[in-house]
Amino acid sequence: MSRVQETLGKDQGRVTLQAIAARLDVSTATVSLALRDSPVVAETTRTRVRKLAEEMGYIYNRSAAALRTDRSQIVGLGINDITNPYFAELLNLLEEAVGAQGRSILLGTYGESRPRQQRVLRTLKEYRPDGLILCPAGGSTADDFAGLVPTRIPVVFLSRSVDGLPFDFVGGDEMGAMRTGVRHLAELGHRRIAMLGGSDLTSTGRERLRGYREGLADCGLPHDPDLEYPGYGTRELGVAGITAVLERPDPPSAAICFSDLVAFGAMLGLRHAGREAGRDFSIVGYDDNPEAALWYPALTTIRVPPAEMVANAVGLMHSRMAEPGLPQRRIILPTELIVRSSTIPA
Amino acid sequence: MSRVQETLGKDQGRVTLQAIAARLDVSTATVSLALRDSPVVAETTRTRVRKLAEEMGYIYNRSAAALRTDRSQIVGLGINDITNPYFAELLNLLEEAVGAQGRSILLGTYGESRPRQQRVLRTLKEYRPDGLILCPAGGSTADDFAGLVPTRIPVVFLSRSVDGLPFDFVGGDEMGAMRTGVRHLAELGHRRIAMLGGSDLTSTGRERLRGYREGLADCGLPHDPDLEYPGYGTRELGVAGITAVLERPDPPSAAICFSDLVAFGAMLGLRHAGREAGRDFSIVGYDDNPEAALWYPALTTIRVPPAEMVANAVGLMHSRMAEPGLPQRRIILPTELIVRSSTIPA
DNA sequence: CTGAAAGCGCTAACAA
DNA sequence: TTGTTAGCGCTTTCAG
């Protein structure tokens, strides 16, 4: 028998500021101020108000407040796939960071579908979010986001970006990362290094692919298009990709992957072919999934610190809320190669 | 140069129903009706309205609508940990299911912290969600959720539940699952079977633990508390748990785990001890993570179909929105043992 | 320190 | 088929 249930039992009219004000014989303004701890209201009334509000089971109505103040305390998050552990981790951190500001995350997902992304964006806008954090779907164009510009909602692209838009961005140093990944493999003596995954349709795909090629050039290794197996970063692509490149006339002895997911797929594909990463083949991943350290063999991979990604994204959003006129900012975080057991000398 | 930008360039007053109505010399009511495709408004005016709204870059204001209609089109989701791939998958499916109803997910996470859960619940309530889907934090009591009852918001517990509340529930047949898991192991000849994970603080933990014990009894196996290593279902617990039970005087030859995450940890711990699941030890997981099939050895596990979990949860919520007076419902979904390579004869 | 009153943008009667 | 009007619950001047 909860206290709340008793007091609200009769359901006699909802509990609003009005209701509290009436019972206390004060104005709604006073109640509003008191509940928000305004210093202008007397200590005694404040406590009286808070007490009665509690007793009556008052619940603040954010829709009403949002309508009045033009602040929804909502951060819209548009993301392609939270099923990917790396994005799940970002979402988790974002939820915490945003929660610490007293805001909540309104979520929209769309895979790599631009039409779905359009629908998500439209819906998110309708809630008048205080800010928007977006990881655009593959193939997105500036036009897809142009509608966001006049809304003056602070937008930050996270991880992936789209050119030609005035939004802030935080991501990793993709090219640098791939170059050090390739160098690591080259230093182990590998000359034929495949690249699995990396779609032309995302900024990360393009940059990692480019970093791969530059990495080869850095090390004086020739670029063989036959060793590239591009596409979105899924496990399935990893399996298909490793299978394909192993069938080339002059197969590789190592592969660098667009993501850990691809790498996991590749390691599985190797096994199907009677090979084993860390024994007779080398694999480098990207993201440093929680699973990466636990796989067998433990995956050598590239880490973009998720906590810093999120802290920066929220920081950019926050500062732009305060100062909309800020110039566009792009934060590129350094990455780190984590060498484990999936890479070995050629 | 987007069309939107031109029309809104001057930022001369926001685009509201009012603004559209004024320009068209009709009433706001007509515009509102037209935009919502009401059959009552003339075809011609409807198209005129829609066209102008589009041109002016009108964005529907859900806060205003919510205030007026008492429907927010928001589904609040309170979940402990989306970093767990199983919950990430649920969240992903939920987002889609809820999106198909024209609603959006407002997310709150709290780990296993009841205070954080309280804060999340309070915030979610303030947005006046049309429904709430909750996976309660460990150790939650009925009192923690009592405040939800008088709000009349349709609530459904997903996966985990808390006794003594009138909310709907959908989960898996935990006890049945564990019993068939234990039987599978027993049929392979295992007599000493450990149980790793399963906290007393969650309904799933209690039921899986109970299912484990009943499974032992089913097979005429003695119950040895020394072979239980309870706790929340993390990888770390898996490592610690397997290490602990292997040091028992009469160590087990198999373990059944609270979750795949625990199983992954256990398999890793085995390796540290110079053993290997699927070779000289047997491991059964729970959840059927995407990784489970890909691990080496592929993990024998118990699957609760996530798509059905979600479809049922959304269905329960939906029906209760339409008919609040419905009796409490509990849907228990059958589970499936998926035998792969981590379990072998004793 | 508190009250009165206006209004955020929308929808739902009801009237015309 | 369209317009008028009131009001959802809150915050914010401005007076007192």
Side-chain angles (χ1 to χ4, degrees), chain B residues 153-237:
Chain B
I153 299 170
V155 176
V156 11
F157 279 137
L158 185 61
S159 182
R160 294 179 181 178
S161 76
V162 172
D163 286 344
L165 263 350
F167 305 141
D168 296 325
F169 169 73
V170 24
D173 174 18
E174 316 279 347
M175 300 225 317
M178 291 304 279
R179 289 169 67 175
T180 83
V182 170
R183 177 187 309 275
H184 166 64
L185 256 8
E187 282 171 359
L188 286 170
H190 297 280
R191 324 252 54 169
R192 299 279 294 162
I193 301 170
M195 162 82 193
L196 307 182
S199 164
D200 227 35
L201 298 172
T202 66
S203 59
T204 46
R206 287 188 297 271
E207 284 170 29
R208 289 181 203 178
L209 217 42
R210 195 160 143 224
Y212 159 73
R213 291 173 192 166
E214 292 194 3
L216 291 177
D218 290 347
C219 303
L221 261 25
H223 169 241
D224 180 357
D226 254 20
L227 295 186
E228 286 181 359
Y229 193 91
Y232 285 122
T234 63
R235 291 185 188 87
E236 292 69 33
L237 179 125

Side-chain angles (χ1 to χ4, degrees), chain B residues 79 145 276:
Chain B
I79 204 163
F145 299 91
E276 187 80 50

Side-chain angles (χ1 to χ4, degrees), chain A residues 3-336:
Chain A
R3 218 165 296 113
V4 183
Q5 243 167 323
E6 284 162 31
T7 35
L8 269 188
K10 303 88 161 296
D11 209 304
Q12 6 88 319
R14 350 154 89 61
V15 184
T16 67
L17 289 190
Q18 276 284 6
I20 299 175
R23 291 258 299 247
L24 247 31
D25 211 55
V26 297
S27 76
T28 58
T30 302
V31 178
S32 174
L33 262 3
L35 253 20
R36 283 174 299 144
D37 275 323
S38 162
V40 84
V41 54
E43 182 59 36
T44 54
T45 40
R46 195 203 337 255
T47 54
R48 281 205 314 147
V49 168
R50 298 198 79 89
K51 187 159 155 292
L52 183 60
E54 169 78 7
E55 271 178 32
M56 294 176 75
Y58 171 72
I59 301 168
Y60 184 66
N61 185 327
R62 296 230 183 197
S63 290
L67 182 58
R68 179 64 231 240
T69 60
D70 244 316
R71 310 238 102 209
S72 58
Q73 309 294 44
I74 281 176
V75 171
L77 176 64
I79 204 164
N80 48 323
D81 179 22
I82 46 160
T83 262
N84 181 322
Y86 184 70
F87 288 122
E89 175 68 7
L90 288 182
L91 169 52
N92 184 43
L93 294 166
L94 274 170
E95 203 278 330
E96 283 174 20
V98 149
Q101 299 180 353
R103 285 184 245 263
S104 299
I105 290 239
L106 194 69
L107 180 70
T109 66
Y110 33 73
E112 304 295 358
S113 158
R114 286 171 61 205
R116 276 189 63 192
Q117 177 177 250
Q118 287 316 100
R119 254 171 284 141
V120 164
L121 286 180
R122 162 194 250 275
T123 309
L124 291 182
K125 278 193 289 185
E126 294 181 349
Y127 286 100
R128 298 289 193 275
D130 294 346
L132 231 29
I133 295 185
L134 302 176
C135 183
S140 292
T141 66
D143 267 0
D144 293 347
F145 298 91
L148 248 27
V149 177
T151 65
R152 320 217 101 246
I153 299 169
V155 176
V156 12
F157 279 137
L158 184 62
S159 182
R160 295 179 181 178
S161 75
V162 173
D163 287 342
L165 262 351
F167 304 141
D168 296 325
F169 168 73
V170 26
D173 174 17
E174 316 279 348
M175 299 222 317
M178 290 306 277
R179 287 169 68 175
T180 83
V182 169
R183 176 186 311 275
H184 166 65
L185 257 8
E187 282 170 358
L188 286 170
H190 297 279
R191 324 255 51 171
R192 301 278 294 160
I193 301 170
M195 161 82 193
L196 308 182
S199 164
D200 227 35
L201 298 172
T202 66
S203 60
T204 46
R206 286 188 298 270
E207 284 169 29
R208 289 183 202 175
L209 215 44
R210 200 164 135 219
Y212 160 71
R213 291 174 192 164
E214 293 193 1
L216 291 178
D218 290 348
C219 304
L221 260 25
H223 170 240
D224 180 356
D226 254 20
L227 294 187
E228 286 181 357
Y229 193 92
Y232 285 121
T234 63
R235 291 185 186 87
E236 292 68 32
L237 179 127
V239 178
I242 195 76
T243 308
V245 299
L246 285 180
E247 284 170 356
R248 303 289 186 229
D250 185 6
S253 63
I256 186 162
C257 301
F258 174 80
S259 69
D260 285 356
L261 248 35
V262 172
F264 295 152
M267 283 159 79
L268 189 73
L270 276 174
R271 230 169 252 149
H272 285 322
R275 320 267 306 257
E276 187 80 49
R279 200 188 60 200
D280 48 28
F281 202 90
S282 290
I283 295 274
V284 175
Y286 201 114
D287 284 345
D288 196 26
N289 270 0
E291 296 295 325
L294 303 182
W295 261 68
Y296 185 69
L299 182 64
T300 294
T301 190
I302 289 156
R303 176 181 163 78
V304 193
E308 272 140 74
M309 291 275 285
V310 165
N312 277 284
V314 173
L316 289 181
M317 188 181 69
H318 207 227
S319 59
R320 188 169 297 281
M321 286 174 190
E323 243 184 290
L326 252 24
Q328 180 177 20
R329 293 153 299 170
R330 293 179 59 84
I331 296 182
I332 308 297
L333 295 174
T335 59
E336 188 189 352

Side-chain angles (χ1 to χ4, degrees), chain B residues 13-329:
Chain B
R14 349 155 86 64
V15 183
T16 67
L17 288 189
Q18 276 284 6
I20 299 175
R23 290 259 300 248
L24 247 32
D25 211 56
V26 297
S27 75
T28 59
T30 302
V31 177
S32 173
L33 262 0
L35 254 19
R36 284 176 296 146
D37 275 324
S38 161
V40 85
V41 55
E43 182 60 34
T44 54
T45 41
R46 187 192 356 243
T47 54
R48 281 203 315 148
V49 167
R50 297 198 81 89
K51 190 161 150 291
L52 184 60
E54 169 79 6
E55 271 177 31
M56 295 177 73
Y58 171 72
I59 301 167
Y60 184 67
N61 186 325
R62 297 230 184 198
S63 290
L67 181 57
R68 179 62 233 236
T69 61
D70 245 316
R71 311 237 101 210
S72 58
Q73 309 292 50
I74 281 175
V75 172
L77 176 63
I79 204 163
N80 48 326
D81 177 22
I82 46 158
T83 260
N84 182 321
Y86 185 69
F87 287 123
E89 175 69 7
L90 289 182
L91 169 52
N92 183 43
L93 293 166
L94 274 170
E95 203 278 331
E96 284 174 20
V98 150
Q101 298 179 353
R103 283 186 246 262
S104 300
I105 291 239
L106 195 69
L107 180 69
T109 66
Y110 33 72
E112 305 296 358
S113 158
R114 283 171 63 204
R116 278 189 61 193
Q117 177 176 253
Q118 288 316 100
R119 255 172 282 141
V120 163
L121 286 179
R122 162 194 251 272
T123 310
L124 291 181
K125 277 193 289 185
E126 294 181 348
Y127 286 99
R128 299 290 195 275
D130 294 346
L132 232 28
I133 296 185
L134 302 176
C135 183
S140 292
T141 66
D143 267 0
D144 293 347
F145 299 91
L148 250 26
V149 178
T151 66
R152 319 218 101 243
I153 299 170
V155 176
V156 11
F157 279 137
L158 185 61
S159 182
R160 294 179 181 178
S161 76
V162 172
D163 286 344
L165 263 350
F167 305 141
D168 296 325
F169 169 73
V170 24
D173 174 18
E174 316 279 347
M175 300 225 317
M178 291 304 279
R179 289 169 67 175
T180 83
V182 170
R183 177 187 309 275
H184 166 64
L185 256 8
E187 282 171 359
L188 286 170
H190 297 280
R191 324 252 54 169
R192 299 279 294 162
I193 301 170
M195 162 82 193
L196 307 182
S199 164
D200 227 35
L201 298 172
T202 66
S203 59
T204 46
R206 287 188 297 271
E207 284 170 29
R208 289 181 203 178
L209 217 42
R210 195 160 143 224
Y212 159 73
R213 291 173 192 166
E214 292 194 3
L216 291 177
D218 290 347
C219 303
L221 261 25
H223 169 241
D224 180 357
D226 254 20
L227 295 186
E228 286 181 359
Y229 193 91
Y232 285 122
T234 63
R235 291 185 188 87
E236 292 69 33
L237 179 125
V239 178
I242 196 76
T243 308
V245 298
L246 285 179
E247 284 168 357
R248 301 291 187 231
D250 183 7
S253 62
I256 185 162
C257 302
F258 174 80
S259 68
D260 285 356
L261 248 37
V262 172
F264 295 152
M267 283 159 78
L268 190 73
L270 276 174
R271 233 172 250 150
H272 285 321
R275 319 267 307 256
E276 187 80 50
R279 200 188 61 200
D280 47 31
F281 202 90
S282 289
I283 295 275
V284 175
Y286 202 115
D287 282 346
D288 196 27
N289 271 0
E291 297 294 326
L294 302 182
W295 260 68
Y296 185 71
L299 182 64
T300 293
T301 189
I302 288 155
R303 175 181 164 78
V304 193
E308 271 139 73
M309 291 275 286
V310 165
N312 277 285
V314 173
L316 289 182
M317 188 181 69
H318 206 225
S319 59
R320 188 169 297 280
M321 286 174 190
E323 243 182 290
L326 253 23
Q328 179 178 24
R329 294 153 297 171

